[in-house]
Amino acid sequence: MEILGLDIGGANLKAIKLSVSNGKTHVKEVIREYFPVWILGKNGVVEGLRKLKESVNPSPNYVVSTTMTAELSDLFRNKSEGVRFIVGTVEEVFSDASRRFYVNVKSKLVEYSEAYKSPLEIAAANWAASAWLISKKLRNCIFIDIGSTSTTIVPIINGKISVQGYTDPEKLVYGELVYLGVLRTNICSIVNKVPYKGLFARLSSEKFALSGDVCLVLGKIGVKDYTTETADGRGRGIRECLDRLSRVPCADNEILNDYEILEIARYVYESMVFRVFETLTQVRSRIASLGYNPSTFKVCTAGLGSFLAKEAAKRAGFKDVIDVSGIYGKKISHILPAYAAALMALEVLGK
């Protein structure tokens, strides 16, 4: 039997194929690809999932387990429409699967009728899949997953997921979601000024450069990690990234030398760390209010931006910081919700 775990995001499509035989589970294939829903359109989403199915070529006896965040895309009028479209597409594309499951915000799996009836229970539930998995490994911890676009923070207390927010707006309020990632975030949404020739210059609000440019020129990611489109449509090499960053204060690569541009990148990166640090202090405060010492909690990081999560966690006072790649491997770390969704199906099926 095979289980296909899907994480259908607004910017990335992640999938894993597991093979189950004789009580043992084997990872057969891992896929992570850029999937800009707002560019692809509805037909492109359908076609993308069809191509994915062709690529993984599941066996006749297979199950699909799906989580999603793509419903937030402005391709859809609202989240309910988005969830129902994605659920309907999965049902159509994978109609030959023996079972099709969807992760909800309570870390449970439901099938089509329940997902269609209660779409907001399915919306942006990828964190619930990951947290379900981590809670089985770590009793008291804070799980931090930083991807290309956003940062998820999930407290786990006494082996139970202990969130206050179940929707994106609630999570933004409670410090469980930061709309900051290591590839796609516009620089002018991170800082409102940058160092400029011994002073500070205010910024243009144009989309001149992204967080991926910052992380690449500072050596935090490699060119192969920069999978999304760039702000100007040009390449992802250091030269192109530096050129884009020079435009943030309405300058260019003639007005600023490379050393000056790198100082801008350092300033922006420190601001990124602070954004996550600030949210972690909010979460620490809540844990402390419940009578627990947050300094005794582990932090488990995941995603392409795990390096940022580690740095912010240490500054926030956490001493025991581990990466999920140390538990499941690096490939799994980058597609954790899809992997977790697949394992949830495995548990439901009693395999």
Side-chain angles (χ1 to χ4, degrees):
M1 182 179 124
E2 291 181 348
I3 298 180
L4 183 60
L6 301 177
D7 180 9
I8 304 172
N12 293 285
L13 176 61
K14 302 167 186 176
I16 187 167
K17 183 169 77 171
L18 301 180
S19 172
V20 184
S21 61
N22 299 322
K24 293 185 178 180
T25 304
H26 304 280
V27 176
K28 304 299 288 184
E29 193 165 358
V30 172
I31 294 173
R32 178 181 179 271
E33 60 184 44
Y34 186 45
F35 197 65
V37 167
W38 68 96
I39 296 174
L40 294 172
K42 292 181 179 179
N43 291 338
V45 171
V46 175
E47 187 59 29
L49 288 177
R50 283 180 178 152
K51 287 181 178 177
L52 174 72
K53 183 183 177 183
E54 290 175 8
S55 175
V56 297
N57 189 26
S59 66
N61 180 28
Y62 78 104
V63 171
V64 177
S65 188
T66 301
T67 186
M68 67 185 74
T69 58
E71 79 290 331
L72 181 61
S73 169
D74 55 14
L75 174 65
F76 309 109
R77 290 185 59 249
N78 51 50
K79 293 182 182 183
S80 294
E81 178 189 308
V83 170
R84 286 173 176 145
F85 174 80
I86 294 163
V87 167
T89 301
V90 170
E91 291 289 315
E92 176 189 341
V93 173
F94 300 96
S95 60
D96 57 338
S98 59
R99 301 282 294 274
R100 291 170 295 279
F101 297 111
Y102 303 91
V103 180
N104 71 15
V105 294
K106 302 294 185 180
S107 298
K108 305 293 183 186
L109 292 185
V110 299
E111 293 185 271
Y112 172 76
S113 60
E114 183 64 27
Y116 194 88
K117 183 176 73 173
S118 304
L120 295 184
E121 292 282 307
I122 308 301
N126 61 349
W127 65 268
S130 297
W132 170 86
L133 183 60
I134 299 300
S135 68
K136 292 181 173 294
K137 290 282 186 182
L138 301 172
R139 184 169 174 78
N140 288 313
C141 93
I142 295 175
F143 172 63
I144 310 172
D145 187 350
I146 303 183
S148 66
T149 309
S150 63
T151 298
T152 294
I153 298 172
V154 182
I156 295 169
I157 301 175
N158 292 330
K160 296 185 182 301
I161 300 167
S162 181
V163 297
Q164 291 180 287
Y166 289 94
T167 66
D168 282 347
E170 290 172 353
K171 289 187 162 299
L172 287 166
V173 169
Y174 290 118
E176 295 164 355
L177 175 64
V178 186
Y179 237 84
L180 173 78
V182 295
L183 294 184
R184 297 184 59 243
T185 307
N186 193 336
I187 299 304
C188 66
S189 74
I190 302 171
V191 295
N192 62 9
K193 61 183 183 295
V194 292
Y196 180 85
K197 299 186 182 296
L199 302 167
F200 275 97
R202 273 60 189 172
L203 307 185
S204 163
S205 61
E206 296 290 343
K207 185 182 174 183
F208 279 138
L210 304 173
S211 53
D213 299 313
V214 169
C215 294
L216 191 134
V217 301
L218 296 180
K220 305 294 183 181
I221 63 171
V223 174
K224 63 179 175 53
D225 299 315
Y226 201 157
T227 54
T228 60
E229 83 279 356
T230 61
D232 59 5
R234 294 190 175 94
R236 297 169 177 82
I238 290 178
R239 180 68 267 156
E240 291 100 331
C241 292
L242 288 168
D243 289 350
R244 283 189 288 271
L245 287 167
S246 73
R247 297 189 186 97
V248 170
C250 297
D252 57 33
N253 59 11
E254 293 181 329
I255 296 171
L256 294 171
N257 64 46
D258 288 356
Y259 299 120
E260 291 176 291
I261 301 169
L262 282 171
E263 290 309 303
I264 290 174
R266 292 183 207 285
Y267 179 80
V268 175
Y269 183 73
E270 285 299 317
S271 298
M272 291 169 66
V273 174
F274 181 78
R275 286 272 295 276
V276 181
F277 158 84
E278 185 178 43
T279 312
L280 284 173
T281 60
Q282 182 180 349
V283 173
R284 280 183 67 104
S285 177
R286 175 174 169 252
I287 291 172
S289 74
L290 296 173
Y292 298 93
N293 179 0
S295 293
T296 64
F297 278 53
K298 288 181 183 288
V299 167
C300 182
T301 65
L304 181 61
S306 185
F307 58 87
L308 176 61
K310 289 175 185 174
E311 200 157 350
K314 288 178 179 176
R315 294 190 194 182
F318 295 101
K319 296 180 175 60
D320 193 353
V321 181
I322 61 173
D323 190 273
V324 76
S325 63
I327 305 173
Y328 300 110
K330 188 173 182 180
K331 281 189 177 180
I332 299 298
S333 171
H334 291 178
I335 55 98
L336 191 66
Y339 179 62
L343 292 186
M344 290 174 79
L346 195 63
E347 182 175 91
V348 166
L349 296 169
K351 298 294 183 180

